[in-house]
């Protein structure tokens, strides 16, 4: 998947069933429909900025690598 230098929106990522499943598996606490609807039009870069203090950078990097490989 082309993450377009992290400018892809969360909504665009969620159009891919495999990516949606990966995000729900790795970040189940934020994968509820309400939060996803709030983040739908946000760029991945914005979400990464919010997540940097909540999740280990290694985990974030691993998920990004897996998304790029899809």
């Amino acid at each position: 998947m082309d993450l377009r230098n992290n400018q892809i929106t969360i909504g665009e990522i969620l159009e891919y069933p495999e990516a949606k499943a990966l995000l729900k598996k790795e970040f189940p606490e934020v994968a509820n429909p309400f939060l996803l609807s709030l983040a739908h039009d946000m760029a991945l870069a914005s979400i990464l900025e919010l997540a940097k203090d909540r999740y280990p950078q290694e985990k974030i990097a691993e998920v990004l690598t897996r998304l790029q490989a899809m």
Side-chain angles (χ1 to χ4, degrees):
M1 171 185 312
D2 180 9
L3 300 180
R4 299 191 317 261
N5 200 26
N6 295 336
Q7 295 307 305
I8 191 170
T9 66
I10 298 303
E12 291 172 306
I13 292 172
L14 296 176
E15 290 176 8
Y16 294 84
E18 290 177 8
K20 187 175 185 176
L22 173 64
L23 294 178
K24 284 185 174 187
K25 178 183 177 213
E26 296 297 331
F27 307 109
E29 63 279 1
V30 296
N32 73 57
F34 177 72
L35 290 177
L36 290 178
S37 70
L38 292 176
H40 189 269
D41 294 326
M42 293 178 72
L44 178 59
S46 298
I47 298 298
L48 292 173
E49 185 65 28
L50 295 171
K52 73 179 183 180
D53 295 328
R54 184 174 180 103
Y55 299 101
Q57 288 301 306
E58 298 82 22
K59 181 174 184 172
I60 292 172
E62 177 189 338
V63 171
L64 288 174
T65 299
R66 291 172 64 189
L67 286 172
Q68 290 170 332
M70 291 183 178

